[in-house]
Amino acid sequence: MKIKLLLIIMLLCGAASAQQRSLSGTVTSKDLGTPLAGVTVKSPRQTVTTDNNGRFTVNVAPNETVTFTFVGMQAVNYTYHGETSPVAILLEYSSGNLNEVVVTGYQTQKKADLTGSVAVVNMTDIKNVRQGNPIKSLQGRIPGVNITSNGDPGGGATVRIRGINTLGNNDPLYVIDGIPTKRGLQEINQDDIESIQVLKDASSATIYGSRAANGVIIVTTKRAKNGVHRIDVNASSSIEYYTTKQSMLNTNQRGEAYWRAALNDKFNPNNNQIYQYDWNNDFNNPVLNRVILPEFIDAAKTMRSADTKWYDEISQASLLQNYNLAFTNGSERGNSYFSLGYYDNKGVVRESRAKKITMRLNSEYNFLNGKLKIGENFNATYANNVLIPTGDVLFTALVQQPIVPVHTVSGGWGGPASGMTDRHNPVRLIEDNKQNKNYFGRIIANAYADLTILPGLHAKTNYGVDYAGTWLRTLRKSYVSGFLTDPSNLVQNSQNYDGNLIFQNTINYNTDFGKHHIDAVLGHESIRFINQNFFASRQGYALENLDYAYLDRGTTNINNGGNGTANSLLSFFGKVNYVYANKYLLSGTLRRDGSSRFGANNRYGYFPAGSAGWRISQEPFLKDSKIVSDLKLRYSYGEAGNQETGNYATYSLYSAIYGLSNNDVIGGTAYDIIGAGTGTLPSGFVKIQQENPDLKWETTKESNFGVDFGLFNQSITGSVDYFIKNTSGILITPGYLAVIGEGGTKTFNGASMQNKGIDAIVNYDGRITSDLTFGISANFSKYINKVTYLPSEIYTAYAGNGTDQIIVGKSINSIFGYVADGLFTSADQVTNSPAQPGKGLGRIRFKDLNGDNVINDRDRTYISNGNPDFLYGLNLSLRWKNFDLAAFFQGVQGLKVYNSYKTYTDFSSIWPGGNWGTRTLDAWSPQRPNSTIPALTLVNTNDENRTSTYFIENGSYLKLRNLQVGYSLKDALKSIKVQNARVFFQGANLWTIKSKGYTAADPENPGNGYPVPAIVTFGLDLSF
């Protein structure tokens, strides 16, 4: 009997062995052509992960399906038919991947199950677009997200998600590895980022209720995966070029323009302190023979006449360097990811250098057979920026006269002479400030424990810190620069420290039964913000050298001060997602936030949200369609809060003002009440703010209608969203009438605003041959903003006249002014036009809008809403064998901008002592009757610098933001065990198409900000 039983067991084992076989192969990234480690390979019989070289072996029986999954990539199902040779599996990033895992706030969801408006960034597109701030790399790539920036090496950027929502701070909330912050991403190493999601609508963002009214950007950094042991090296060097310099007059041209202006005014041009002219002295038929330059422009004969090109003097072709080194080590028991990054940008404005060093350590360890996970994320940043006053440098380079030399004959500083505008030598501003630096450090870190209590049920506790500190010691030097002098010097030390302490606890549950799927989260969060700052300064230093000039070396004007502040948040939240049969989707959220910034009457706010979705493509009548592979309708409604106001806005505040400075004398509270005539004066207190215990949360309510679609097996994918967003109870602190007396300042909820619009994206992934593939992605967004309510007492604080023309019903960005109706070109026009002080031939003619035959402030109207008609982006990619090509275009259409450059480029009268633009050489005259540039004059009698449509220009543009060509060397370097090797050449901001109606150099920078440079980059990516 025993022998028979043994034989039966052997036969059964043999049959099972005959059925169970193994499948082996390699998993590779289709986008990068590199092996993928840590891919989950799952068959009905076994689950394994790929090793460091992307290789796997999994037990499987014939006709069974093996699934390959990797976070952020499209899952692949492979049916095994008994083959024995290794297989090659390609995984790709795809906007159409419905199984892609998306972080949505204390949870993750499949993209197919989303019911809110969530944008997922394809990190492959921005992998090598490094500009010191990951946000800059996203400009124009996400519909509904408007990012503006400049070329500042420090990497700042402004982000607006679906327009402007409030009258105060419109910055979104950033969540970095679960830690909420308002600081942005400029201190985060872009190479450390695994994924970025943008929660655009209120229903998605409500889970972060307290600060989510302006949208949420979720960033998840890289972690090691099981079986991955890798070293990554990324290096790139770039050259930046200043390609958008304004065209200004040289010395002779400046003299000629002055001569023309003087003649138009019937003024002898030789009656000036700089230029002399050889001309025929005939005002009716003037002829200029030559401009005579003096040997020296100052009476002391220290400054010789020059022909200085100020933009060339203050700018340079600069070097930008990026280096990153990362170590990844993953096993079943734990994993670690460690990286070092270095960024160095010297800037196209001389000495405006910014350097940054980042360090990251992410680790996680498993205990209790994987039921308990303990981990941490730690990021440290150290930055060092040179404190050049770039705004002043760029402005003075624009307006300083070219005849002024950089240096005097003895090597001192050149500067303005008699008859010139009192503007500094921009080179002196650079050289006298290049020793001043800002030192910045930031730590953002968290430690967590995640315990699986039951299958599908786990609890997580997380403690985080986001702490930043700034320290600087600056030396303001004495100087002599033309007639500008300051014999004093000053050293100032300042320190500022602030940060958040975050404590979070969540319980997550998910389960599947039948056709039902439920996942839910309950949570608690407390945040405490603290800030303190200190400054001290002295003057009277014998040596102007930072190695000497410490505070105790100063002898006069000893000054110091400092303060601190704090606020806290306490929150409870919950969210439930429900899916039935993979086609009916529901989601509900509720968050309760309490803020110390609000009074006891309204300290807590409740922010609910709900959404629903219908995956029509899963219905029987569409499920087998060969055209429609995905079609989902979505609707969501949500409310989110905003607490951006003063920390003590609900209280009456009093202050002791000792009257130690001239500004404090009138309101001083100190008095020699006992007539001692010496010693410290006793002081009282004065009220500086009124209380408001009823102050409450600013609330944004948003409805979102969306559709997601996929065609031809997800070759074409996209989404379209229409939203209506209403913000009420906007927090404002208006000015007050003097009759109220001291301490009239009060913060209250007193304004409302609406944004509505549409954003859309469509992607097409195509394959021409097995070696030739391409991708096209286009996005579009448009929004309309208007103020729906504003208290009457603050009408005058915004565009309008405060009476019959007010900002209510208009965009908050609106510009209010006069309508320019061309130039006066004939005597009849001058004679028969409405009364306008200063009118004359060649002068700007303004429209009489109210018909009273007088041009005055009653003829103003709204001349621009300050918003574009729409924003768009286009991304193109092509891959052939080991070559890849990518081009990204970003554009703005229909934006009417206020071109402030025209004040200096078109007029000789507004800044008569400065330099002017070359456009003045084409100004109106009887010989140039078709010119639209006002006639030159030395006196602004027509008040032509008033806000008018003359300065409003079409700011539309299309820019080639990025052009990149890469080549993979992995095949050539297989022998030295290189997993990935790629070289690339890249160009950024290579060309711009702008409207002919825009007269300055760059419509993206109409306000003389730091120039956006053209960048040429060479880079190398290696993995071992």
Side-chain angles (χ1 to χ4, degrees):
M1 183 66 186
K2 291 182 178 179
I3 295 175
K4 290 181 178 180
L5 183 60
L6 181 61
L7 289 172
I8 291 172
I9 293 173
M10 292 176 66
L11 288 171
L12 290 173
C13 290
S17 176
Q19 289 296 318
Q20 180 171 301
R21 303 177 186 177
S22 63
L23 175 69
S24 300
T26 304
V27 182
T28 306
S29 168
K30 180 180 177 182
D31 297 290
L32 301 176
T34 57
L36 287 173
V39 175
T40 300
V41 183
K42 184 177 182 180
S43 76
R45 301 170 184 272
Q46 187 183 19
T47 299
V48 300
T49 57
T50 57
D51 66 13
N52 206 41
N53 296 310
R55 293 192 294 260
F56 69 93
T57 299
V58 63
N59 293 329
V60 63
N63 299 318
E64 289 183 341
T65 299
V66 180
T67 303
F68 299 82
T69 58
F70 192 76
V71 174
M73 305 191 82
Q74 185 171 353
V76 169
N77 293 320
Y78 181 86
T79 302
Y80 176 63
H81 296 293
E83 53 269 37
T84 58
S85 58
V87 296
I89 304 297
L90 296 176
L91 296 187
E92 63 180 318
Y93 292 95
S94 172
S95 56
N97 177 14
L98 300 177
N99 292 315
E100 182 180 351
V101 177
V102 178
V103 180
T104 56
Y106 310 101
Q107 289 178 301
T108 59
Q109 288 180 267
K110 290 194 305 181
K111 192 172 182 179
D113 296 340
L114 293 176
T115 51
S117 183
V118 180
V120 181
V121 176
N122 187 343
M123 297 304 296
T124 303
D125 291 342
I126 65 170
K127 174 178 172 57
N128 294 118
V129 186
R130 303 181 181 98
Q131 300 183 38
N133 184 346
I135 289 296
K136 283 188 174 183
S137 305
L138 301 179
Q139 185 175 14
R141 296 180 184 269
I142 308 172
V145 180
N146 185 18
I147 299 172
T148 56
S149 65
N150 55 35
D152 188 342
T158 300
V159 180
R160 297 291 178 261
I161 298 177
R162 292 184 164 180
I164 294 177
N165 305 306
T166 181
L167 300 179
N169 188 338
N170 281 274
D171 293 336
L173 177 69
Y174 298 85
V175 180
I176 304 171
D177 290 327
I179 303 300
T181 180
K182 282 279 190 174
R183 289 199 63 91
L185 301 182
Q186 59 267 27
E187 289 106 28
I188 301 298
N189 183 355
Q190 183 168 317
D191 288 287
D192 288 338
I193 296 176
E194 179 80 23
S195 65
I196 298 176
Q197 284 90 31
V198 181
L199 311 184
K200 296 188 290 185
D201 69 322
S203 75
S204 301
T206 294
I207 193 70
Y208 294 107
S210 57
R211 293 178 288 177
N214 298 321
V216 180
I217 297 177
I218 299 177
V219 176
T220 303
T221 59
K222 293 178 180 178
R223 309 192 70 83
K225 298 176 176 62
N226 185 14
V228 179
H229 312 281
R230 189 174 67 238
I231 299 175
D232 295 305
V233 180
N234 310 108
S236 64
S237 292
S238 308
I239 302 295
E240 297 183 314
Y241 300 94
Y242 188 175
T243 58
T244 55
K245 299 174 183 177
Q246 297 299 318
S247 179
M248 305 302 289
L249 299 173
N250 63 30
T251 296
N252 272 290
Q253 290 171 331
R254 174 60 170 74
E256 181 183 346
Y258 181 93
W259 177 76
R260 293 183 185 180
L263 295 187
N264 290 338
D265 294 341
K266 304 301 181 184
F267 175 77
N268 184 354
N270 284 317
N271 289 340
N272 80 87
Q273 296 163 300
I274 301 295
Y275 294 99
Q276 293 295 296
Y277 302 93
D278 178 6
W279 69 298
N280 65 355
N281 293 300
D282 184 352
F283 282 94
N284 296 320
N285 188 26
V287 176
L288 176 64
N289 297 318
R290 66 188 181 99
V291 178
I292 303 172
L293 303 179
E295 181 179 2
F296 295 94
I297 63 173
D298 62 326
K301 296 185 177 182
T302 65
M303 295 186 289
R304 295 186 184 276
S305 293
D307 188 13
T308 306
K309 296 179 176 59
W310 289 110
Y311 274 119
D312 292 345
E313 293 292 338
I314 59 101
S315 63
Q316 63 184 3
S318 70
L319 179 65
L320 187 160
Q321 300 176 83
N322 268 291
Y323 303 103
N324 187 69
L325 178 64
F327 301 87
T328 303
N329 185 27
S331 66
E332 291 184 1
R333 293 188 175 183
N335 61 75
S336 63
Y337 172 88
F338 176 76
S339 75
L340 290 171
Y342 177 74
Y343 168 85
D344 185 358
N345 187 344
K346 293 186 176 180
V348 293
V349 176
R350 286 179 46 218
E351 302 294 345
S352 60
R353 188 174 190 173
K355 294 189 290 186
K356 179 172 61 180
I357 298 173
T358 60
M359 187 275 283
R360 173 168 290 278
L361 175 61
N362 293 349
S363 62
E364 183 178 84
Y365 298 94
N366 300 323
F367 302 91
L368 305 178
N369 294 322
K371 291 184 178 180
L372 175 63
K373 297 180 179 180
I374 296 178
E376 56 76 35
N377 303 287
F378 179 86
N379 186 89
T381 303
Y382 171 76
N384 179 342
N385 299 335
V386 181
L387 296 177
I388 296 299
T390 53
D392 292 337
V393 169
L394 289 164
F395 177 69
T396 51
L398 178 74
V399 302
Q400 186 59 266
Q401 290 203 31
I403 200 171
V404 175
V406 176
H407 295 287
T408 63
V409 292
S410 61
W413 292 116
S418 181
M420 297 182 183
T421 304
D422 58 345
R423 289 300 175 263
H424 289 283
N425 177 337
V427 179
R428 185 196 69 78
L429 292 177
I430 292 174
E431 294 298 320
D432 278 1
N433 287 280
K434 66 181 182 181
Q435 76 282 348
N436 298 328
K437 296 180 181 179
N438 177 77
Y439 299 92
F440 172 85
R442 181 187 183 189
I443 292 175
I444 180 167
N446 66 299
Y448 61 89
D450 192 326
L451 175 65
T452 300
I453 303 171
L454 295 171
L457 176 66
H458 67 98
K460 183 177 182 179
T461 186
N462 179 51
Y463 189 82
V465 58
D466 178 15
Y467 199 76
T470 301
W471 180 87
L472 55 91
R473 182 164 62 93
T474 59
L475 168 62
R476 191 196 71 201
K477 296 182 177 182
S478 61
Y479 63 86
V480 175
S481 178
F483 62 68
L484 297 175
T485 63
D486 185 351
S488 68
N489 52 37
L490 179 143
V491 167
Q492 177 167 308
N493 282 19
S494 64
Q495 303 171 15
N496 183 77
Y497 302 99
D498 61 62
N500 292 301
L501 302 175
I502 304 104
F503 184 44
Q504 300 168 336
N505 296 282
T506 57
I507 296 177
N508 287 75
Y509 177 71
N510 69 81
T511 185
D512 293 280
F513 54 97
K515 295 182 179 181
H516 308 274
H517 171 79
I518 296 175
D519 61 81
V521 61
L522 288 173
H524 152 269
E525 181 178 68
S526 65
I527 301 175
R528 177 169 173 78
F529 172 83
I530 53 176
N531 167 267
Q532 59 180 342
N533 61 76
F534 167 81
F535 78 90
S537 65
R538 291 190 182 188
Q539 291 183 274
Y541 288 85
L543 296 176
E544 294 182 342
N545 185 306
L546 272 180
D547 292 333
Y548 165 83
Y550 287 91
L551 283 176
D552 62 357
R553 296 292 186 265
T555 58
T556 61
N557 293 339
I558 299 173
N559 191 21
N560 61 71
N563 58 59
T565 187
N567 68 76
S568 59
L569 283 165
L570 179 63
S571 308
F572 300 91
F573 54 86
K575 183 176 183 180
V576 178
N577 301 312
Y578 171 72
V579 181
Y580 176 72
N582 287 323
K583 56 185 174 181
Y584 305 118
L585 317 170
L586 291 173
S587 180
T589 305
L590 179 64
R591 179 160 177 140
R592 181 178 186 258
D593 279 318
S595 172
S596 64
R597 288 178 169 176
F598 300 119
N601 298 345
N602 294 291
R603 179 151 293 160
Y604 288 90
Y606 292 85
F607 304 104
S611 59
W614 177 26
R615 293 191 64 200
I616 304 175
S617 55
Q618 294 298 302
E619 297 290 354
F621 60 83
L622 202 56
K623 192 170 185 178
D624 297 325
S625 171
K626 294 182 179 179
I627 298 176
V628 179
S629 51
D630 179 49
L631 181 61
K632 178 170 63 177
L633 300 181
R634 296 179 279 107
Y635 171 75
S636 65
Y637 171 83
E639 299 181 9
N642 188 355
Q643 58 145 9
E644 295 299 318
T645 187
N647 288 329
Y648 310 111
T650 63
Y651 302 103
S652 291
L653 298 182
Y654 297 83
S655 178
I657 303 174
Y658 290 94
L660 299 179
S661 68
N662 291 334
N663 294 330
D664 295 338
V665 170
I666 297 177
T669 57
Y671 184 71
D672 188 8
I673 195 168
I674 61 176
T678 186
T680 302
L681 297 178
S683 176
F685 293 85
V686 64
K687 191 173 187 178
I688 60 174
Q689 177 181 284
Q690 293 187 25
E691 68 175 348
N692 183 2
D694 296 319
L695 197 66
K696 62 182 180 180
W697 290 88
E698 181 180 311
T699 303
T700 296
K701 302 176 180 180
E702 182 176 7
S703 292
N704 189 94
F705 305 84
V707 58
D708 301 328
F709 61 88
L711 305 174
F712 305 108
N713 196 28
Q714 299 300 94
S715 293
I716 300 175
T717 60
S719 64
V720 180
D721 286 87
Y722 174 75
F723 64 90
I724 303 173
K725 183 159 47 173
N726 292 288
T727 303
S728 60
I730 292 177
L731 296 160
I732 56 176
T733 308
Y736 59 91
L737 296 175
V739 294
I740 295 177
E742 294 176 341
T745 300
K746 184 178 181 179
T747 299
F748 59 93
N749 301 92
S752 300
M753 186 180 296
Q754 182 187 84
N755 277 290
K756 60 182 178 180
I758 185 171
D759 47 65
I761 187 170
V762 62
N763 310 288
Y764 177 39
D765 296 315
R767 179 181 297 275
I768 299 173
T769 68
S770 60
D771 293 327
L772 183 59
T773 60
F774 67 91
I776 302 172
S777 178
N779 69 77
F780 166 93
S781 58
K782 174 184 177 63
Y783 66 89
I784 299 172
N785 167 273
K786 67 177 179 180
V787 177
T788 54
Y789 172 74
L790 200 67
S792 59
E793 56 263 42
I794 61 171
Y795 282 168
T796 55
Y798 299 91
N801 60 15
T803 54
D804 60 326
Q805 296 195 72
I806 57 176
I807 195 71
V808 176
K810 309 291 193 308
S811 166
I812 191 62
N813 294 325
S814 295
I815 301 174
F816 190 72
Y818 295 83
V819 176
D821 191 21
L823 306 179
F824 291 103
T825 58
S826 68
D828 287 342
Q829 287 181 344
V830 176
T831 302
N832 298 320
S833 65
Q836 177 180 316
K839 66 180 179 178
L841 286 175
R843 305 269 53 85
I844 296 176
R845 180 174 58 185
F846 298 102
K847 279 191 175 182
D848 179 19
L849 297 183
N850 66 351
D852 64 357
N853 213 35
V854 177
I855 303 298
N856 54 30
D857 59 2
R858 295 187 181 92
D859 294 302
R860 294 177 297 167
T861 188
Y862 290 93
I863 56 180
S864 173
N865 64 20
N867 300 320
D869 291 340
F870 59 88
L871 311 170
Y872 60 99
L874 176 65
N875 193 51
L876 307 174
S877 62
L878 183 70
R879 181 179 295 277
W880 180 70
K881 294 186 177 180
N882 290 331
F883 288 94
D884 60 87
L885 172 68
F888 177 65
F889 302 84
Q890 179 260 331
V892 174
Q893 184 61 39
L895 176 62
K896 294 182 178 180
V897 300
Y898 189 90
N899 181 7
S900 63
Y901 284 109
K902 294 185 82 171
T903 300
Y904 316 103
T905 61
D906 287 26
F907 298 91
S908 57
S909 56
I910 297 176
W911 283 75
N915 197 17
W916 311 317
T918 54
R919 282 171 53 83
T920 56
L921 299 177
D922 297 319
W924 187 93
S925 68
Q927 294 74 34
R928 294 186 180 87
N930 297 322
S931 175
T932 60
I933 302 170
L936 298 182
T937 179
L938 299 176
V939 184
N940 185 25
T941 57
N942 197 37
D943 190 18
E944 291 178 333
N945 61 329
R946 70 181 82 179
T947 301
S948 75
T949 56
Y950 184 82
F951 297 93
I952 302 296
E953 295 186 337
N954 187 349
S956 303
Y957 67 82
L958 172 63
K959 289 196 173 189
L960 178 56
R961 285 292 182 193
N962 190 265
L963 178 65
Q964 186 175 149
V965 179
Y967 182 76
S968 175
L969 300 170
K970 62 170 186 170
D971 294 335
L973 300 177
K974 279 184 177 179
S975 60
I976 57 173
K977 297 183 179 181
V978 173
Q979 286 188 13
N980 176 42
R982 178 177 178 267
V983 294
F984 64 91
F985 291 93
Q986 179 177 261
N989 305 312
L990 296 181
W991 55 255
T992 301
I993 298 175
K994 64 176 183 175
S995 168
K996 293 182 179 179
Y998 186 77
T999 59
D1002 185 3
E1004 190 181 10
N1005 182 18
N1008 199 34
Y1010 198 106
V1012 178
I1015 309 173
V1016 179
T1017 302
F1018 171 74
L1020 172 67
D1021 297 329
L1022 290 172
S1023 295
F1024 301 93

